[in-house]
Amino acid sequence: MNTIAERIKFAMEVRKMRQVELVQKTGISKGAFSSYLSGNYNPKQDKLELIADALDVNIDWLLGKSVPMQIPTKGVVTGQVSPLPYVFYKEAEYLVNDVDDTYTAYMPQYSALIPRFHVIVNTSCNEMHMLPLFYRDDSAEYYDCPADLTTPERHQIYTKDFDSIGIYLETSRIIYYGIDKKNCKPEVTALAYSPENSCYERRPEALSLTRNAFQKEIEKEALFLEKNHQ
């Protein structure tokens, strides 16, 4: 994914933005925009800046450079720029109640830093709920609970920024919202951290109340999977 057209289309998918919306936001004509998406023409610098602003992406990333898709912002607690490879950004789309905080978790992918999970953090219970963002080209990769979480030290891919979101690793729990690919049913996995083994372990008894908004998302994805397996 190294052409400008490919990256514009990928950013549109990530941002869930249609061509008509981009045309309205940028003022670029529909015909010109279609030629950019087809790859027949590349936008000039001024048009590229408009597109980058509308999609909230790094213009150097649109040009095909190996840089984060979105310029990192300052962390929630520390005030420092969050390092790669896993970054939490505050958001409010799935806010459930006054004890929850919600974030979008970004990971490097396709030489970019892209949104990969919706995350709900309940600091009072020291737990984190993780919902994958299901993109049609790679949804299946995230149906299963990431094996890194249950592998010693590898969990740091996901937990390295826990301090910034108020989670204490040693007693933390992770609730992962996935899909059972064999029967096309929602599958919620409860994990508890084991200091002795330096990784998370599956603990069905640790499953607390699931978040309705997340549950509905995996139910929709399960239906999509089921229909496409028939």
Side-chain angles (χ1 to χ4, degrees):
M1 191 178 68
N2 293 316
T3 69
I4 292 176
E6 288 173 332
R7 294 203 170 190
I8 290 175
K9 285 187 280 191
F10 181 77
M12 288 172 65
E13 181 180 357
V14 169
R15 302 296 188 226
K16 293 182 172 57
M17 194 176 296
R18 296 176 301 162
Q19 181 177 337
V20 64
E21 295 176 80
L22 267 178
V23 167
Q24 292 172 347
K25 283 177 175 288
T26 61
I28 298 172
S29 71
K30 182 179 179 181
F33 213 98
S34 294
S35 68
Y36 301 156
L37 293 178
S38 68
N40 292 330
Y41 296 94
N42 283 332
K44 294 182 178 179
Q45 183 69 21
D46 60 333
K47 298 296 191 293
L48 201 63
E49 290 175 355
L50 291 172
I51 295 169
D53 286 343
L55 290 169
D56 190 23
V57 298
N58 188 337
I59 191 170
D60 286 334
W61 177 80
L62 278 182
L63 286 167
K65 297 180 182 179
S66 295
V67 297
M69 176 179 168
Q70 181 170 331
I71 300 172
T73 59
K74 290 187 176 181
V76 176
V77 177
T78 62
Q80 301 298 315
V81 173
S82 301
L84 298 177
Y86 194 80
V87 185
F88 294 100
Y89 288 114
K90 192 79 177 269
E91 63 146 350
E93 182 178 350
Y94 284 100
L95 193 61
V96 176
N97 56 50
D98 58 4
V99 300
D100 293 323
D101 283 319
T102 59
Y103 300 85
T104 299
Y106 287 70
M107 296 186 76
Q109 195 171 1
Y110 310 119
S111 300
L113 188 66
I114 68 165
R116 191 67 263 182
F117 300 97
H118 282 306
V119 174
I120 289 178
V121 174
N122 187 328
T123 52
S124 65
C125 295
N126 200 38
E127 69 181 19
M128 183 173 80
H129 295 249
M130 295 181 66
L131 170 73
L133 290 172
F134 297 119
Y135 301 128
R136 289 281 70 87
D137 58 341
D138 66 357
S139 292
E141 294 179 30
Y142 293 89
Y143 288 154
D144 296 324
C145 184
D148 289 318
L149 289 170
T150 55
T151 304
E153 306 307 329
R154 289 291 297 172
H155 69 81
Q156 293 178 7
I157 294 173
Y158 295 91
T159 63
K160 63 189 296 292
D161 289 331
F162 264 18
D163 286 347
S164 71
I165 59 173
I167 291 288
Y168 180 62
L169 176 65
E170 301 295 308
T171 59
S172 63
R173 294 184 297 182
I174 293 178
I175 313 300
Y176 190 85
Y177 295 73
I179 307 289
D180 186 329
K181 290 179 285 190
K182 294 179 180 179
N183 59 24
C184 301
K185 300 296 183 184
E187 183 175 60
V188 181
T189 303
L191 304 166
Y193 187 73
S194 169
E196 296 82 11
N197 297 320
S198 300
C199 65
Y200 283 89
E201 297 178 344
R202 293 174 184 266
R203 300 272 183 83
E205 72 277 7
L207 184 60
S208 60
L209 292 175
T210 58
R211 298 304 190 235
N212 289 336
F214 282 15
Q215 189 72 39
K216 289 177 181 178
E217 288 296 319
I218 58 172
E219 287 171 0
K220 288 191 294 184
E221 184 66 19
L223 285 173
F224 172 85
L225 181 63
E226 184 177 11
K227 289 179 180 178
N228 283 271
H229 273 70
Q230 291 177 351

